[in-house]
Amino acid sequence: MPIAHEKSLLWRSVTVFDGAQTLPRPMAVLVEAGRIAHLSPMEEFDEAIAAGAVEASGGGVMTPGLIDCHSHLVYAGNRADEFEQRLEGVGYAEIAKAGGGILSTVRATRMASEEQLLAQSLPRLQALLADGVSTLEIKSGYGLTTADELKMLRVARKLGELLPVRIITTLLAAHALPPEFADDSDGYIELVCNEIIPAAAAEGLADAVDVFCEHIGFSPAQCERVFQAAKAHGLPIKAHAEQLSNQGASVLAARYQGLSADHIEFLDEAGVRAMATAGMVATLLPGAFHTLRETQLPPIALLRQYGVPVALASDANPGTAPICFPTLILNLACTLFRLTPREALAGMTAEAARALGRPDLGRIEVGAPADLCLWDVQQPAELAYAVQPGRLRQRIFNGAITYAR
């Protein structure tokens, strides 16, 4: 992670999307010591405030750095063959039962060294950064042994040391049932709770704990045991919830003050109400919805009705969302789920930050960390409207310009 820029940086006449809305007038933005020091309309800008500042750029649209709050970026191999199978009519659940799906990636990931995992993951991370990401959550879940889960989390942490990005790590050991526990799911959950979670917590490798609560994953009762173990080690929880069926995972996660419930295509009103009461975030993953050709839409109207914050994320993974293009996710959220461009952009900035338990991120306001993107567009809605790479003019991380075109 680079240190903050030694000199103040000044942007003039930028259109600012502040994480919630587009500010109505061209703005001046001053960054000092890694934070936003001044924000004002150009006609009210006092030149004395920026004495000695470096003129960084002018014009364009400035947003917070994009936040990808749900990814599976660290893995080995790929699953292009399964992509082809699905197009030939084979279902996701059928592929998983035949030993494909998550378990095929588990085999490849177990065989890879930390160095090999790092080498395979770096290009995916670089693609995300090139399209504006400044904070990324990376889940484990392709190791399914203590050693291999910790290996994945160490690689995720290393990525954040090599490139200018904030990495948030999530332990997802309850992602799939490993072959050695094929007839003993309770035994595997016991391993997760009594060995893997304590080991990850002891090494400081996990910022949260996630579960895959589904008929091809783990039961609500098993997931609750994982939540209890996570809480016992001071780790917040998240859930892959209601993706393929309604298992009540969102209600369960709400009882444990979960940060977010993710996917949620089959979420019902009781689940939405529970999430609203618990202050949870609903994380939508339109890339997986698109790749799997799903038809069950998440309950957008109910989420709006109950005031549940909506985040968006890439779900970047080898099987169901091999997508490392965050502005494409903005477009898919609008075209598939009918989010507005404002909702979509908030979903990958301020609301995504909330889904990670980091409400200090994802906003352009005085005092906030200076993670920013300057885009060569005329209005923020263009970022969701067009699927077009190469629009990022500058990427600012921790007050330093880490990319400029």
Side-chain angles (χ1 to χ4, degrees):
M1 181 182 298
I3 61 172
H5 202 288
E6 293 180 358
K7 295 184 178 180
S8 302
L9 298 173
L10 175 65
W11 287 264
R12 297 176 183 269
S13 300
V14 291
T15 298
V16 170
F17 178 86
D18 67 2
Q21 62 184 341
T22 301
L23 302 184
R25 292 178 285 178
M27 305 294 287
V29 180
L30 178 68
V31 166
E32 293 178 344
R35 294 191 173 270
I36 298 169
H38 183 78
L39 177 67
S40 71
M42 281 303 302
E43 64 269 23
E44 299 174 12
F45 179 58
D46 182 355
E47 292 289 344
I49 294 173
V54 174
E55 298 272 349
S57 190
V61 168
M62 179 172 280
T63 70
L66 301 185
I67 297 175
D68 192 343
C69 63
H70 181 130
S71 90
H72 305 256
L73 199 79
V74 173
Y75 60 86
N78 71 67
R79 281 155 48 193
D81 54 340
E82 293 176 20
F83 175 72
E84 187 171 16
Q85 283 181 290
R86 286 198 302 272
L87 291 174
E88 291 173 348
V90 183
Y92 178 44
E94 185 178 349
I95 289 171
K97 288 179 181 178
I102 293 170
L103 289 182
S104 64
T105 300
V106 169
R107 289 190 293 272
T109 302
R110 286 180 174 183
M111 292 176 61
S113 66
E114 287 190 24
E115 292 74 18
Q116 290 169 328
L117 275 179
L118 187 69
Q120 292 189 46
S121 302
L122 268 171
R124 296 188 282 265
L125 179 57
Q126 289 166 331
L128 291 172
L129 269 58
D131 203 40
V133 167
S134 62
T135 297
L136 173 68
E137 186 252 24
I138 300 178
K139 302 179 190 295
S140 66
Y142 296 130
L144 310 185
T145 68
T146 302
D148 290 306
E149 287 292 293
L150 299 186
K151 175 177 69 175
M152 291 186 67
L153 294 173
R154 281 193 293 269
V155 170
R157 292 279 202 229
K158 184 66 174 177
L159 288 168
E161 296 170 6
L162 294 178
L163 293 179
V165 61
R166 280 186 181 81
I167 298 295
I168 308 295
T169 55
T170 298
L171 177 66
L172 181 58
H175 194 197
L177 190 62
E180 56 269 25
F181 283 89
D183 299 315
D184 188 13
S185 59
D186 283 331
Y188 178 63
I189 290 298
E190 183 175 345
L191 175 72
V192 171
C193 294
N194 296 338
E195 185 174 313
I196 300 179
I197 289 175
E203 292 193 31
L205 289 174
D207 299 310
V209 171
D210 199 347
V211 297
F212 183 32
C213 188
E214 192 53 76
H215 59 87
I216 62 170
F218 296 95
S219 71
Q222 290 169 330
C223 291
E224 184 165 20
R225 290 170 60 192
V226 175
F227 290 165
Q228 290 169 345
K231 290 294 186 179
H233 287 85
L235 294 170
I237 62 98
K238 303 164 70 73
H240 284 60
E242 278 68 78
Q243 180 186 7
L244 306 174
S245 62
N246 190 338
Q247 300 288 314
S250 299
V251 173
L252 174 63
R255 291 209 301 268
Y256 286 84
Q257 295 76 51
L259 292 172
S260 69
D262 302 19
H263 286 291
I264 63 166
E265 283 89 338
F266 285 83
L267 182 65
D268 60 12
E269 187 166 4
V272 174
R273 188 183 305 113
M275 290 177 65
T277 300
M280 290 177 65
V281 176
T283 299
L284 306 183
L285 305 172
F289 185 93
H290 163 75
T291 302
L292 291 171
R293 298 182 297 168
E294 296 288 0
T295 57
Q296 174 74 34
L297 290 167
I300 302 300
L302 282 173
L303 295 171
R304 288 171 175 152
Q305 176 185 334
Y306 281 89
V308 176
V310 173
L312 296 177
S314 69
D315 194 21
N317 74 71
T320 62
I323 299 171
C324 296
F325 192 0
T327 54
L328 170 61
I329 299 301
L330 298 177
N331 175 273
L332 291 176
C334 294
T335 56
L336 297 177
F337 297 162
R338 301 298 188 264
L339 265 63
T340 68
R342 185 204 65 78
E343 288 174 323
L345 195 49
M348 289 203 85
T349 52
E351 306 300 14
R354 293 178 63 178
L356 294 176
R358 290 295 306 269
D360 56 314
L361 302 175
R363 294 187 177 276
I364 298 180
E365 60 187 16
V366 173
D371 295 350
L372 305 166
C373 288
L374 187 66
W375 306 88
D376 278 322
V377 297
Q378 295 182 351
Q379 56 182 313
E382 290 181 53
L383 296 173
Y385 153 73
V387 179
Q388 179 180 337
R391 293 173 291 181
L392 185 64
R393 187 195 309 173
Q394 290 179 337
R395 180 181 178 276
I396 302 93
F397 178 73
N398 196 32
I401 298 174
T402 62
Y403 169 82
R405 177 173 52 79

